[in-house]
Amino acid sequence: MFGGVATVPSNSPHLRKSGSRPVVSDLGTSELENGAEEGFLRLIEGNDMKGGSIPRSTAAIMPSPAMLWRFKVLLFFAWGFICCKVGWDSVMRMSADLRDLFLYEAFLYYNPLLLVTMMVWFWGVNLWVFAQGNVNYAKIFDLDQNHLTHREIWKCATWMTIVVPTSMTAYLYLYSHGEVSLAASQPVLLYAAVAMLLIFPFDIFYLSSRFYLLRTLWRIVLPLQAISFSDFFLADILTSMSKVLSDLERSVCRMVHRQVATIAWFEADSVCGSHSVAIPVVLVLPYLFRLFQCLRQYKDTGEKTTLLNALKYSTAVPVIFLSALKYHVFPEKWSTFYRPLWLLSGVLNSLYSFYWDVTRDWDLSGFTRIFKFSKQQFLSNLVHGRKWVYFWVIGSNLILRCTWTYKLSSHLRHNYLTVFTITALEIFRRFQWVFFRVENEVNKMSSKSNIQLSMADNPNEEDRLLVSNGHSG
């Protein structure tokens, strides 16, 4: 820029910070490209004057980005078809009495990672919408300048979509062909690879973003500091993935006890079976984390609404543990006493959570913004005049809040396809919730900044207000 064209390549390590993406200057790039084009044209003119010709490798036309994208999509669908075909043929090779039990076990290992992949895809969509609405979400979540964009999130989700079903297909194929030991190694290797990728200490695979996630998770587990927006935001997402965490615990338990690719876990005395006390404990942990965060917020701010929020999360505790009692009490006692209590606690938790979503997390109290749009922000602008969007979000949130009780109930987990579907719908509900929750936070930050500006511009008026308030007391 100053003193001529830069000679350092734009992807030089000297232009990068640790854990960041390449820093490229648009002006420097254009100057380098212009210089390359001029040199290339001079080479052509020189060759023409000498009667020579340009090598075919130099004159070859590279495929367009659209063509490359279509080719990748074609490969992706071809891979998906191959996985489905191999998996289906492998399942059909098994006997009918073993098939359902084995599919139940395969779902246990792979449905948590499939649901996590779904959440990553949805988070990429959230970030894309924020980018379209010019929302400074990096400031809201206190991210540094090297945070992942929606494109990079989708790239991670794409690889997860490829790796997890491929491992599941290999698991089904190897087991159906009698290679039990090799089949048992597939989920173990997959889980080990995911764990290593998260804690890998070297500057690859988005090191700064991975460590940001791990730090936030640590702050959630031990809320010994002031609670930031990203802390309770991720903790809220974990409450929607409590079933995923429970299945992860059961999967790891089976791997530790070497029960993979067996059906021993269906026995009543199995350590990792449905009778395990660890199941309700893991289910309730995200709600306890969020409850402790609310208590910490009350200690720091003194706001009584945080206690009401803590009460909301505490209503999930009886739903989880009353359901778990089915495996530890007599059937008639469960039917006549504990089951009605479980239903009552489930209704209370669902309605309380729905009320809090609408009136507190989204600030849609009285449905005023459905008709007036008094607070114009990115989401209101996108759906302005489309009242059905708000009706859909509120109605679907109510329905999915009620069905979420099914997922929290460990005595219903044997209906694994139903539970998987409801968990996926809960993740979709949380995906919708993110838009309105972030918009509400944008409104709060805008209001605070406006108040600070008005106080700075009108100090005398502020003094008069303080004096008048002192006299009125």
Side-chain angles (χ1 to χ4, degrees):
M1 183 178 298
F2 299 101
V5 178
T7 59
V8 183
S10 62
N11 59 351
S12 172
H14 300 290
L15 298 181
R16 300 185 61 188
K17 294 187 294 183
S18 177
S20 67
R21 298 185 299 274
V23 180
V24 182
S25 172
D26 294 337
L27 181 58
T29 303
S30 62
E31 291 174 350
L32 289 172
E33 289 176 352
N34 292 337
E37 290 176 358
E38 292 174 0
F40 185 65
L41 291 174
R42 285 195 294 269
L43 177 63
I44 293 176
E45 293 174 356
N47 287 335
D48 289 340
M49 293 176 64
K50 296 177 181 179
S53 60
I54 303 172
R56 289 184 178 271
S57 59
T58 305
I61 301 175
M62 294 297 294
S64 64
M67 184 67 68
L68 288 176
W69 184 83
R70 291 171 185 172
F71 181 69
K72 292 178 181 179
V73 171
L74 181 62
L75 284 180
F76 184 82
F77 279 105
W79 160 87
F81 174 79
I82 293 173
C83 285
C84 291
K85 183 69 169 63
V86 173
W88 177 261
D89 292 342
S90 301
V91 170
M92 290 297 104
R93 286 174 58 93
M94 304 178 190
S95 59
D97 56 342
L98 178 63
R99 188 178 303 153
D100 290 339
L101 298 179
F102 183 76
L103 286 178
Y104 192 3
E105 184 187 15
F107 251 76
L108 174 65
Y109 300 136
Y110 290 101
N111 91 83
L113 297 181
L114 290 173
L115 292 170
V116 170
T117 302
M118 178 181 176
M119 176 63 79
V120 175
W121 276 111
F122 279 149
W123 177 241
V125 176
N126 289 136
L127 295 187
W128 177 77
V129 174
F130 296 156
Q132 297 299 310
N134 295 321
V135 178
N136 189 7
Y137 61 89
K139 180 180 179 181
I140 296 174
F141 293 101
D142 194 22
L143 303 174
D144 59 25
Q145 61 180 352
N146 302 316
H147 66 273
L148 300 184
T149 65
H150 61 275
R151 292 184 180 89
E152 291 163 324
I153 294 292
W154 283 339
K155 186 184 296 184
C156 295
T158 301
W159 280 109
M160 294 171 68
T161 306
I162 293 173
V163 172
V164 177
T166 300
S167 177
M168 184 176 181
T169 303
Y171 178 71
L172 296 174
Y173 177 83
L174 292 171
Y175 186 87
S176 63
H177 286 76
E179 300 291 342
V180 179
S181 60
L182 289 177
S185 66
Q186 298 305 308
V188 176
L189 292 175
L190 179 62
Y191 276 60
V194 172
M196 289 298 297
L197 185 62
L198 283 176
I199 64 175
F200 203 61
F202 300 104
D203 192 7
I204 57 175
F205 303 127
Y206 310 118
L207 175 66
S208 59
S209 297
R210 286 189 288 113
F211 274 38
Y212 175 85
L213 174 63
L214 294 176
R215 285 194 303 268
T216 306
L217 290 174
W218 180 253
R219 290 163 62 92
I220 291 173
V221 174
L222 293 176
L224 303 178
Q225 63 288 311
I227 307 301
S228 65
F229 180 77
S230 59
D231 291 343
F232 69 75
F233 185 87
L234 181 58
D236 271 330
I237 292 177
L238 290 180
T239 60
S240 293
M241 304 187 73
S242 56
K243 173 63 170 58
V244 174
L245 299 177
S246 177
D247 285 346
L248 284 174
E249 182 275 329
R250 298 179 74 197
S251 300
V252 173
C253 178
R254 286 183 53 75
M255 294 175 190
V256 171
H257 290 86
R258 298 184 179 181
Q259 296 179 355
V260 182
T262 68
I263 58 173
W265 66 305
F266 289 97
E267 300 174 3
D269 58 350
S270 175
V271 177
C272 308
S274 298
H275 294 66
S276 175
V277 179
I279 294 175
V281 171
V282 176
L283 281 173
V284 81
L285 279 179
Y287 296 92
L288 294 181
F289 293 151
R290 193 66 186 92
L291 186 149
F292 292 145
Q293 283 184 336
C294 294
L295 296 179
R296 173 70 197 208
Q297 284 181 305
Y298 176 74
K299 177 180 179 297
D300 294 337
T301 63
E303 296 181 2
K304 294 183 178 180
T305 54
T306 57
L307 294 180
L308 296 176
N309 200 12
L311 180 62
K312 181 195 73 172
Y313 292 104
S314 67
T315 59
V317 177
V319 178
I320 295 171
F321 283 99
L322 286 173
S323 173
L325 283 177
K326 181 180 180 180
Y327 297 106
H328 304 281
V329 299
F330 293 108
E332 57 273 10
K333 189 72 172 178
W334 161 257
S335 301
T336 58
F337 183 72
Y338 291 109
R339 188 173 183 272
L341 286 179
W342 165 71
L343 290 173
L344 179 61
S345 60
V347 171
L348 177 62
N349 172 259
S350 299
L351 296 181
Y352 197 168
S353 301
F354 169 74
Y355 164 79
W356 199 271
D357 285 341
V358 175
T359 61
R360 300 290 182 173
D361 288 346
W362 298 348
D363 193 20
L364 294 177
S365 55
F367 301 94
T368 53
R369 283 177 56 212
I370 299 177
F371 304 100
K372 297 180 180 179
F373 293 94
S374 58
K375 299 177 180 178
Q376 289 293 326
Q377 287 297 334
F378 76 99
L379 194 58
S380 299
N381 291 331
L382 290 176
V383 301
H384 183 66
R386 302 177 184 178
K387 301 175 184 177
W388 66 269
V389 174
Y390 286 87
F391 284 115
W392 159 261
V393 170
I394 293 174
S396 61
N397 190 74
L398 175 61
I399 295 173
L400 295 178
R401 274 294 189 185
C402 294
T403 57
W404 191 227
T405 302
Y406 193 102
K407 185 274 321 176
L408 293 177
S409 306
S410 56
H411 74 281
L412 299 173
R413 64 172 55 252
H414 58 278
N415 302 323
Y416 60 96
L417 290 178
T418 304
V419 175
F420 177 83
T421 303
I422 291 177
T423 307
L425 290 174
E426 167 62 14
I427 291 176
F428 177 75
R429 185 198 69 80
R430 184 63 67 179
F431 159 73
Q432 295 183 143
W433 174 90
V434 167
F435 290 121
F436 294 89
R437 183 64 187 88
V438 171
E439 183 186 30
N440 189 22
E441 190 66 19
V442 170
N443 291 333
K444 291 180 180 179
M445 294 180 66
S446 299
S447 299
K448 289 180 181 178
S449 61
N450 291 335
I451 292 174
Q452 292 174 355
L453 288 175
S454 62
M455 291 175 63
D457 293 338
N458 303 308
N460 296 330
E461 181 180 356
E462 179 189 2
D463 295 338
R464 289 195 300 271
L465 290 174
L466 291 174
V467 172
S468 63
N469 288 336
H471 287 296
S472 63

